[in-house]
Structure formats: C-alpha cells, structure tokens
Amino acid sequence: AQRAEVSVGTVSNVLNGRGNVSEARRERVQAAMRELGFFPNGVAQSLRRQQSRVIGLCTPLTASAYFAALLDYFEEVAAKEGYAVMQVLSRGDPALELTRVEALLGRNIDGLILIPTYDSTATLDLLALRGTPTVIVDRVTSDKRFDYVAIDDRKAMREATEYVIGIGHRRLLYLIRDSRLPTTKLRIKGYREAAEGSKCAIFATVVQRDPDEGAFAQQ
C-alpha cells in the first residue's frame, strides 16, 4: 500500500478481485507487487474465506496416458472456473492413499477427485466424516455415499471381446495389471462372458502382473 500510495483497503480489493477500484490504482498496486516480489498468501486467504479455491486430485500414477489425459482435462476445467488443482499419487497403495488424502485435507481443499485403490475404505470413511465434497472417477465401488463418474467396464470389455471373436480370432489373451481393482474385475467378467457366449470354441486366458513383484501369473 505504501509503495503504491494507496490505502490498505484498495490493495485488499485488488487482491480479492473486487471491481470498485479504478484501473489506474489497480495498475499501481500490481506494479508495486511486482517490484516487491509480493504474492498473496493462499493459506491465509483460505483461512479467512473458509475457501481455498483448490481442488484435490488423488490418482494411482501419472505414467498412464489415460490418467495423464484426465489430469490435463481437470486442470483445464479448473482453470476456467478460477480453481487450482493439487495432485498427489497413491501408487495403488491403500495406506499411502489415506496419507496423501489427509495431506490434501490439511491444505483445506474445497473438494476432491479420487481415483481409488483396490481398497479405499479408510480413505472414504475419512472423507465422509469430514464432509468433503468428493467425486470418484473411473472405479465404481459399493460405497453409496459418493458420486461416481465411470464407464460400463463390463459391457465395454464384452463388446471388445465379441468384436475380436467376430473377426476370426479364437485364442485370446488378456493382460491385466491388478485383479483387485473394481474396474479390472468387471472387465474380466465381460471378457469371459463374451468368450463363454460365443458359438465358437474359444481359448481365453487372463494373465496378471504381480502388483508387488512385477511378474506375470496366469489366472
């Protein structure tokens, strides 16, 4: 305020995006901020407003092109609405997932997007207890306390397998990462339904990579 030669109230209005500041004064405040290297303290602002304008995102990993595309889209939508996205990784570990979500809650996030592990019971119980707005993406569980956004994995895999059989293939192999995941269980069901429902003799095998060791084992 001293550097810009305006009142503290004017600086507050500029920082909070209020419209009752002339363009000349706004430019003076912004110039002073640049000269001083000043950035608003988001933590202090969130405590005062009881709103952080930050959405938490917990995913298993980012190496997957699918998860990377989701993150890119979430960031795009959040930016348009004036929100930031804070991402953490669970690496598919339920205990780590709980720890990382606790860290997000400690940052006073306004909501959470969660791609759960194979057992997110503790995390979901915490979110329900806190009342944090949460949307679960990609993996549908039996927990009815939350909203879900996902595709019909069972139907999708059944139709994909039926197509492969329909173009003449008879020996099928399905490689999976982790059979404990809800999505994978549904895809296996769809895969086997298509194979068993075919009028042809189909050899259909499921092979899993051990999620801990990295080796593959036949199911």
Side-chain angles (χ1 to χ4, degrees), residues 41-91:
N41 187 320
V43 175
Q45 288 180 328
S46 68
L47 289 173
R48 182 178 179 83
R49 300 171 184 167
Q50 291 299 298
Q51 186 181 44
S52 66
R53 306 294 291 178
V54 174
I55 301 297
L57 172 62
C58 183
T59 67
L61 45 85
T62 55
S64 162
Y66 171 63
F67 290 144
L70 280 180
L71 172 59
D72 184 68
Y73 184 70
F74 292 151
E75 175 62 35
E76 179 183 339
V77 173
K80 288 180 179 178
E81 298 296 330
Y83 281 80
V85 174
M86 182 178 294
Q87 182 192 20
V88 296
L89 301 179
S90 69
R91 305 193 184 281

Side-chain angles (χ1 to χ4, degrees), residues 12 42 52 55 96 101 115 132 154 162 168 208 219:
S12 177
S52 66
I55 301 297
L96 180 59
V101 168
I115 301 176
T132 303
R154 184 173 180 176
E162 288 171 348
Q208 170 180 295
Q219 300 291 301

Side-chain angles (χ1 to χ4, degrees), residues 1 24 30 51 58 72 88-89 98 108 120 127 132 134 153 170 177 188-189 199 205 209 211 213:
Q30 292 173 341
Q51 186 181 44
C58 183
D72 184 68
V88 296
L89 301 179
L98 177 60
N108 197 34
S120 294
L127 292 168
T132 303
T134 300
D153 288 281
R170 299 293 177 263
R177 179 183 296 274
I188 291 174
K189 286 182 180 179
K199 298 178 181 179
T205 305
R209 188 187 76 179
E213 302 298 332

